[in-house]
Amino acid sequence: MSRKGFDLFDLIKKVLFTDFVKGLTVTLGYNISKSITMRYPDEEKWIPYRRFRGLHTLNRDENGRELCVACELCSKACPTGCITVIPEENDSGRGIADRVAKVWTVNLVRCLFCGYCEDACPTRALRLGREYELACADYSCTLMSRDQLLVPQPVPESIPGGYVVKSKLERTPQGIKVTVDLSKFKKRSI
Amino acid sequence: MEQIFFYIFAVIAVVTAIAVVSVRNPVHSALYLIVCFLQVAAIFILLRSPFLAAVQVFIYVGAVMVLFLFAVMVLDVGKESFSEHMHSQAIPAVITVAGLLAVAVWLISTGSLTAPLGPYTEEALSKNTEVIGKALYTQYIFPFEVVSLLLLIALIGAVVLVLKDKGRGAGRRP
Amino acid sequence: MPDIATLLQVLLIVVKVGVVTMILFGLPLPLTWLERKVAGHIQVRLGPWRVGPHGLLQPFADMIKLLFKEDIVPYKADKLLFNLAPLITMVPAFAVFVAIPFGDSVMIPFINKEVTLYISDMNVGILYILAISGLGVYGLILGGWASNSKYALLGGLRSSAQMISYEVAMTFAAVGVVMMTNSLSLVEMVKAQSGSFLSWNIFYLPVGPVWFVIFLIAGLAEINRIPFDLTEDEGTLAAGFHTEYSGMKFAFFMLAEYVAMVTISILAVVMFFGGWNAPLEVPVPIPPIFWLVAKAAAFIYFFMWIRFTLPRYRYDQLMTIGWKILIPVALVNLLVTGFMRI
């Protein structure tokens, strides 16, 4: 409103509280609109895209041999130095070469999920998967070893991801677990 | 029954009134004054004047005392200065109060401190508000107007004081 | 020795007071839930969800938490006033309900006795409510002062200034309603508005809506809700006057706040929206108290709706609205109403 002129229209607007009513209609619209909250973990769970960088996974080739050749490049590339690799000689056909990892551990407390290790890997043995439920009540889960990482992750590589699936929270004496049903999926409501 | 209530209210009113002047902390003394006013309002109700009681609570307790408290908090009246004030005045004050009390007791006991009852019956007093309103605007219109004029003068005076201060402050600004 | 009838009457009043107090003590539980739900949905969230179905048991969880919380009294606080302040806030908030009418008289089916749905029909009802609800501010001021904390003291000072400013406008609105209905008694007020919704005070054109707006704005300021919750402005004052309070004492402040909101809602309904009168003649017999509760609930929702729509006013804006807009408008409106009533 200009300082000198007397704006009748503005006065009428003020008296009738038009701006106030406009604001109220906006909030009322939101009030009756559907909520965008994802009901994780009770009902829904977000399945990330393939590009997501979650928990490390060690892959095998189609014959079930470990792809990891224990070259230690991942360990060298790691900016936080959280990957420990100790190689060993093994020609029993466990890996694709004679050289396999005796120890391959990643310290998840230090890891910043930058993905350099994934880039450095010459055999595509190491990938950052789509598992992101990494919390635990003690230190037991902060150090992930080779045996645990060799187990295929619940979300297979073939699924493109980027949608919401049905899930359920299960309470067991060992702890809580989120089980997902990957068969039915829907887009995220935004 | 009413007498019992009267004595309860009266005793609390007197005790809190004494507490108002005797406690050291100004905020506590304001609180006691609030309690005292509330007792007076209760006594008004016993006297069949709910309007006066409500106005007493509304004006004195609700507005005036809030301003009192506001001022006390902003001014931060220290406990020390309060106690110093009391020292030299305590004895003359007690003597004066005792003298006034004696006079009051004498007047009441001899029965010379009475006022004539109004022409209102119990039924008329149930419409208390209208009775007061009519009396104020007919019989007592002159004092009423004088009081409102006084209040207006006080209001304008306050505004003028503030304006003057502002003007001076503006003039001094470099 | 008083006779049986008097005793029965006293007993009836005691029972009524007990019922009203119990309802008021229980009311904040659904109201906190509702407020958080409304907040959630306006912000496109869900609100409380995990405790019970749709988070319905959340208030009970909160209550248990508050009951078991440590009761902290700050260092160098004024213990007496610090403990007294929540009560000083709470008692007037409850005492107001003595004069609030919930309906006309109803017949109790078994003992065949007529019972009025109000505790007392005092002939200065509206004045009593304004006076008593004004007392609640002492709890805020004294609690703020006694906490020995800068934030709390500032909150207390702000609340006192705000209450004084807006009580004037609120009283003017009440005076307007008194002029429109010719009575200070709330029961008479409702009876004067009986009939269809056109006889409600809000439709007393042209002054009714203006009085209503003045009353609503002043009422919002009196109960310290957004956009006028300067006393507990978390942006600048941490939590205002109840910064130092914890546990049950904090709960008392919250309780008083919610009860005050209910009071203002019911008062708005009684003064402007015909109380327990039905808006239109309905063929089905609906108890009058339903209309009062429904209208009051609409107002409570409206207050919550406003809370999550508007930002908070600045302190100087608050004072400007109170003194420079509401009171002059109220004075002009008083004049117009006076001319209309001649």
Side-chain angles (χ1 to χ4, degrees), chain C:
Chain C
M1 187 65 204
D3 50 75
I4 296 295
T6 325
L7 273 180
L8 262 180
Q9 238 168 358
V10 172
L11 190 72
L12 186 68
I13 289 174
V14 170
V15 168
K16 275 185 196 168
V17 170
V19 168
V20 169
T21 313
M22 280 300 117
I23 291 174
L24 288 180
F25 260 111
L27 214 50
L29 293 178
L31 284 183
T32 46
W33 176 83
L34 188 69
E35 177 134 39
R36 294 174 63 180
K37 267 299 188 201
V38 169
H41 283 281
I42 281 181
Q43 292 158 5
V44 211
R45 297 182 287 116
L46 284 170
W49 189 262
R50 296 194 61 95
V51 190
H54 288 253
L56 266 171
L57 299 178
Q58 185 69 49
F60 293 97
D62 289 347
M63 195 177 72
I64 292 167
K65 185 200 83 174
L66 282 171
L67 274 171
F68 286 99
K69 229 173 154 179
E70 189 192 349
D71 187 30
I72 301 165
V73 178
Y75 173 65
K76 272 192 173 177
D78 191 319
K79 273 221 177 85
L80 171 76
L81 288 184
F82 188 80
N83 292 327
L84 207 60
L87 284 177
I88 297 179
T89 318
M90 203 172 69
V91 170
F94 279 76
V96 163
F97 276 80
V98 170
I100 284 182
F102 300 98
D104 218 350
S105 45
V106 287
M107 291 293 270
I108 298 287
F110 297 109
I111 51 175
N112 235 356
K113 200 174 175 310
E114 222 179 30
V115 173
T116 49
L117 282 178
Y118 40 83
I119 297 171
S120 152
D121 174 25
M122 45 181 91
N123 56 5
V124 287
I126 186 73
L127 209 57
Y128 168 83
I129 286 177
L130 289 175
I132 297 293
S133 63
L135 296 187
V137 68
Y138 284 114
L140 275 58
I141 304 175
L142 294 174
W145 181 80
S147 300
N148 189 29
S149 150
K150 292 181 192 70
Y151 293 131
L153 180 64
L154 280 174
L157 284 179
R158 275 189 187 185
S159 78
S160 59
Q162 181 176 332
M163 286 278 187
I164 294 174
S165 314
Y166 279 84
E167 214 153 69
V168 181
M170 180 114 150
T171 313
F172 270 126
V175 168
V177 175
V178 168
M179 285 171 86
M180 288 191 280
T181 52
N182 273 338
S183 175
L184 284 169
S185 149
L186 288 168
V187 179
E188 294 299 316
M189 249 175 221
V190 176
K191 279 180 182 159
Q193 300 177 55
S194 61
S196 80
F197 67 92
L198 282 175
S199 55
W200 291 356
N201 275 338
I202 180 106
F203 293 108
Y204 193 90
L205 296 169
V207 286
V210 181
W211 283 130
F212 174 64
V213 167
I214 291 170
F215 176 80
L216 201 66
I217 293 174
L220 269 176
E222 285 281 294
I223 58 176
N224 292 325
R225 281 186 74 82
I226 282 180
F228 302 113
D229 69 334
L230 269 296
T231 58
E232 42 190 280
D233 178 355
E234 61 267 13
T236 52
L237 289 186
F241 65 93
H242 59 55
T243 307
E244 306 291 342
Y245 281 91
S246 65
M248 255 351 253
K249 287 183 208 154
F250 173 75
F252 281 166
F253 276 126
M254 284 288 116
L255 194 68
E257 215 159 274
Y258 277 106
V259 170
M261 184 165 81
V262 174
T263 311
I264 292 289
S265 306
I266 295 184
L267 218 51
V269 170
V270 165
M271 284 163 69
F272 294 99
F273 285 85
W276 57 82
N277 292 316
L280 290 166
E281 287 293 323
V282 272
V284 254
I286 295 173
I289 192 160
F290 165 80
W291 292 112
L292 185 91
V293 172
K295 289 173 198 171
F299 266 101
I300 288 170
Y301 174 76
F302 180 68
F303 285 143
M304 292 177 177
W305 184 12
I306 284 182
R307 172 166 179 184
F308 298 105
T309 302
L310 297 181
R312 183 180 294 116
Y313 278 105
R314 230 168 40 218
Y315 192 67
D316 60 318
Q317 289 171 330
L318 174 92
M319 285 297 154
T320 310
I321 294 170
W323 291 104
K324 292 189 186 166
I325 298 176
L326 284 188
I327 292 176
V329 169
L331 284 170
V332 172
N333 212 19
L334 200 65
L335 200 67
V336 177
T337 317
F339 276 122
M340 284 177 73
R341 294 302 295 184
I342 289 174

Side-chain angles (χ1 to χ4, degrees), chain B:
Chain B
M1 195 70 175
E2 245 169 60
Q3 286 238 312
I4 299 169
F5 275 112
F6 171 77
Y7 282 120
I8 293 172
F9 296 141
V11 166
I12 297 176
V14 170
V15 168
T16 48
I18 292 168
V20 170
V21 289
S22 59
V23 293
R24 290 279 171 88
N25 192 327
V27 175
H28 283 189
S29 108
L31 183 70
Y32 284 123
L33 194 52
I34 294 166
V35 178
C36 183
F37 281 153
L38 284 176
Q39 302 313 313
V40 174
I43 290 173
F44 275 135
I45 289 179
L46 287 185
L47 292 172
R48 307 280 185 284
S49 298
F51 180 78
L52 273 188
V55 168
Q56 164 91 9
V57 175
F58 196 30
I59 310 275
Y60 280 96
V61 186
V64 173
M65 282 314 294
V66 173
L67 280 177
F68 265 40
L69 265 181
F70 195 85
V72 165
M73 281 179 190
V74 174
L75 294 177
D76 189 29
V77 185
K79 290 170 193 171
E80 300 80 19
S81 65
F82 234 64
S83 54
E84 272 169 25
H85 262 285
M86 298 294 286
H87 265 306
S88 55
Q89 298 169 355
I91 297 161
V94 165
I95 293 169
T96 319
V97 168
L100 282 174
L101 187 71
V103 171
V105 166
W106 179 68
L107 281 175
I108 292 168
S109 57
T110 54
S112 43
L113 199 72
T114 53
L117 273 176
Y120 303 110
T121 55
E122 195 92 343
E123 287 89 74
L125 280 179
S126 71
K127 293 200 163 186
N128 182 269
T129 318
E130 284 158 40
V131 170
I132 289 178
K134 269 184 192 145
L136 262 187
Y137 282 95
T138 52
Q139 199 179 347
Y140 299 105
I141 183 74
F142 183 66
F144 181 79
E145 288 299 328
V146 169
V147 167
S148 52
L149 196 68
L150 270 177
L151 285 177
L152 185 69
I153 290 167
L155 197 72
I156 293 170
V159 173
V160 167
L161 281 176
V162 172
L163 278 184
K164 215 174 168 187
D165 250 29
K166 228 182 193 173
R168 238 186 246 157
R172 235 183 277 139
R173 212 172 287 152

